[in-house]
Amino acid sequence: MKIYFHLNIAGFSNCYVVVNEQNKQALIIDPGKLTSSIIANIEDGGYNLTGVLVTHNHGSHVHGLKTLQKIYTPEIYAADWETARQNTKVLKDDGIITVAGLHVVYMSLPGHTADSMVYKIGQALFTGDSISAGRLGSTSNKFSAQILRTNIMSKIMTMEDDTVIMPGHGPITSVLAERRFNSDLYPKAAPELL
């Protein structure tokens, strides 16, 4: 498996192209904008784009879907039917799917939005806007913030230290780094962790 990073300058959001080198299939996570570099990534590698994973239905993460569907015919996975309407395979709760020949663990993680999902492929965890380096995702109220914090603590912070967190915005981080430095999750970090 290879992961390619693309930055959507318009929304400063991250898009990831994940390729399975064994079967030459690819999937895209959060196509905020379909750029020529994303197309070149797929075409130059000779990959067949078979899937799109959407972490949540915000423009900076899905705006490129319409253009993408004019060029390719991938399956679109999201928790919100509105994402691509009849072309959306709606995911609920937690589970496992196979996309591009890769096992994808998906987890519902409401808080930032009601439809927020995270996807784990191997040791890479694609979190959308639920968590980023050193920060809890934004929420609309204290109740949503508590739901998000509880879900992150039970579903993400229980993963292996070397799980790589690939957020919807900002730099890549890890579960271990978030345990040590995320003051939104651990306001009184123990000195021995630092």
Side-chain angles (χ1 to χ4, degrees), residues 52-57 76-84 88-93 106-110 113-119:
V52 176
L53 305 177
V54 176
T55 60
H56 64 293
N57 192 5
I76 299 168
Y77 299 88
D80 181 7
W81 181 84
E82 293 287 329
T83 302
T88 306
K89 290 194 177 264
V90 177
L91 302 174
K92 294 181 180 182
D93 303 319
Y106 64 89
M107 293 168 273
S108 175
L109 206 81
T113 61
D115 70 320
S116 290
M117 299 292 283
V118 297
Y119 302 97

Side-chain angles (χ1 to χ4, degrees), residues 6-144:
H6 297 273
L7 177 64
N8 170 15
I9 296 294
F12 287 100
S13 60
N14 301 335
C15 172
Y16 304 96
V17 176
V18 181
V19 299
N20 182 338
E21 295 176 296
Q22 293 179 340
N23 64 11
K24 302 297 271 184
Q25 293 182 2
L27 64 91
I28 292 179
I29 299 169
D30 287 347
K33 182 176 182 180
L34 188 63
T35 63
S36 58
S37 63
I38 292 173
I39 293 171
N41 199 188
I42 295 165
E43 297 298 321
D44 293 350
Y47 301 114
N48 178 21
L49 181 66
T50 60
V52 176
L53 305 177
V54 176
T55 60
H56 64 293
N57 192 5
H58 277 175
S60 64
H61 296 276
V62 299
H63 192 264
L65 269 177
K66 289 180 185 177
T67 306
L68 185 74
Q69 290 179 292
K70 291 178 182 178
I71 303 169
Y72 304 103
T73 56
E75 298 286 345
I76 299 168
Y77 299 88
D80 181 7
W81 181 84
E82 293 287 329
T83 302
R85 301 198 183 269
Q86 68 274 8
N87 294 324
T88 306
K89 290 194 177 264
V90 177
L91 302 174
K92 294 181 180 182
D93 303 319
D94 302 347
I96 300 173
I97 53 176
T98 301
V99 184
L102 301 168
H103 293 290
V104 178
V105 176
Y106 64 89
M107 293 168 273
S108 175
L109 206 81
H112 174 67
T113 61
D115 70 320
S116 290
M117 299 292 283
V118 297
Y119 302 97
K120 188 171 190 282
I121 306 171
Q123 286 301 107
L125 182 67
F126 302 90
T127 61
D129 292 356
S130 297
I131 186 172
S132 58
R135 297 185 47 119
L136 183 69
S138 63
T139 58
S140 59
N141 56 58
K142 289 183 179 183
F143 179 71
S144 294

Side-chain angles (χ1 to χ4, degrees), residues 121-182:
I121 306 171
Q123 286 301 107
L125 182 67
F126 302 90
T127 61
D129 292 356
S130 297
I131 186 172
S132 58
R135 297 185 47 119
L136 183 69
S138 63
T139 58
S140 59
N141 56 58
K142 289 183 179 183
F143 179 71
S144 294
Q146 185 57 41
I147 289 171
L148 180 58
R149 185 177 291 106
T150 299
N151 284 327
I152 288 172
M153 294 302 285
S154 67
K155 293 185 179 184
I156 295 177
M157 291 300 115
T158 56
M159 292 183 183
E160 300 85 10
D161 287 350
D162 61 347
T163 301
V164 178
I165 295 175
M166 306 189 89
H169 299 275
I172 292 169
T173 183
S174 70
V175 167
L176 179 61
E178 295 312 300
R179 280 196 201 112
R180 288 185 175 176
F181 304 112
N182 191 319

